[in-house]
Amino acid sequence: MSAQKFDLSTHDIKVKNILRNPAPATFYEEAIKYDKGSAITREGALVVRSGKRTGRSPADKRVVDTPENHDDIWWSNVNISLDEKTFDINHQRATDYLNTCKRLYVIDGFAGWDPEYRLKVRIIAERPYHGLFMHNMLIRPTKEELADFGEPDFVVYNAGKFPANRYTQGMTSDASVDVNFKKKEMVILGTEYAGEMKKGIFTVMHYLMPKKNVLSMHCSANEGNSDDDVALFFGLSGTGKTTLSADSNRKLIGDDEHCWSDRGIFNIEGGCYAKTINLSEENEPEIFNAIKFGTVLENVGYDKETREVDYKDVSITQNTRASYPIEYISNAKIPCVSGHPKNIIFLTYDAFGVLPPVSKLTPEQAMYHFISGYTAKVAGTEVGVTEPEATFSACFGAAFLVWPPAKYAEMLAEKMRTHGSSAWLVNTGLTGGPYGKGSRMNLKSTRAIIDAIHAGKLDDVDSVPDEVFGFEIPTECPNVPAEILLPRNTWDDPYEYDKQAEKLGKLFEKNFEKYKADSSEDIINAGPKVGVEA
């Protein structure tokens, strides 16, 4: 659609030079002209810079508190309330700024591959980088679907170059990411990190889908030889969720955001957003080969002469990223829908070096560990995090939850019982000691564990119960050294391991206190068993 033929006056924007859903090549041309710092790599990807913020700013996220949604929302440091008047001030600030721009980019697309549940989304942005990013991340409409798009279900106003007013009530910095479910709008001020748009739409789906008895999940998914061989991978950034779901022997359904309905699962997104730090063709061939024309490379280093990307370069941030359409993964399943999950895999980065590489969970243990969401924050994913630190994130994605965690856990439990899904806890973090002493699990061994789960080769092997956590630890796994399966055996001093296990168990217990009131006795009793005193 030409720049002169699209009108945004219904959104209080009077700019005439508007490009709606242009081709990636057009975004490239626009970026080279108008987006300072943009460049084209040797492989044809577009390098961009996100400005001073190179990760999400969760402390600046706000949800508008209205009578319609007040009783639904999990009000917490995850969902910080904002009054309607302040939202209107920020909205006006955003539209005033966008109206000063010489040109704007509009991306109309869908969230959700199942037509019964999909959301029509409109992105309004100043930067070509943001336009191409969301062109990749939303489900791209056909020419006919775009012509019949009509009014969107949700609108994102990205005025990220323009700061929020620190003196406006409720603001804590010059950045603000505000979601208004009543007005079906999102406003971004003061941050140019594109991940805010992606996760903003995920937040919207996290609110709307449970209203339709559809479980929204922060997970990746792939499929074996049939749609009854589906695996879900839960885990926060840095745990291997994207890497392990991109398996050359299985079809990728999606790498980050999914929904589970009575019809099966479907991907929310039209693309992937992969971490690229230390990326190599040997370890992650599917992701490596997806970086080509049309891919957005965020904050990576590269040789100015040869345009070769250096994935080890963390001079800007450790949170370097690639955004590309899901069809760039050679074995992606299009459309991105499938049947009900056979295996549910919880991935964790255990900074204590305590958890085994793989353990099988009972349904009650699965609920306990889903609600707990233990992992470690990995450097670079969020502003201010420079070292791994142990943390708990409900449902392996507390930052994106809208309803209380127990609601999602109850929905997962019900669907697991209905469809007979098995649950596993896989540690992709440290072995042989805690952070500073231990080393990260070998990726090839982790892949072998995942392969064994898919093939059913761990279902009937011998196992031993973990003395603290109670789950069953397989004592053998094809193509995995037996000595690493029992973590106590990998430490130089087994008694130091026991202390660490006790310490971690207590951290689990302390974290779970706030969920006890909403949890059954069976789930509470599925947690770790530790002494009263350390």
Side-chain angles (χ1 to χ4, degrees), residues 416-427:
M416 285 181 64
R417 284 192 293 265
T418 300
H419 303 289
S421 308
S422 296
W424 308 82
L425 182 65
V426 173
N427 177 21

Side-chain angles (χ1 to χ4, degrees), residues 291 397 425 464 487 529:
I291 297 176
L425 182 65
V464 296
K529 303 294 187 292

Side-chain angles (χ1 to χ4, degrees), residues 352-373:
F352 287 81
V354 164
L355 297 180
V358 59
S359 51
K360 187 167 186 179
L361 308 178
T362 65
E364 292 75 22
Q365 288 169 342
M367 292 308 96
Y368 185 92
H369 284 274
F370 182 63
I371 293 173
S372 298

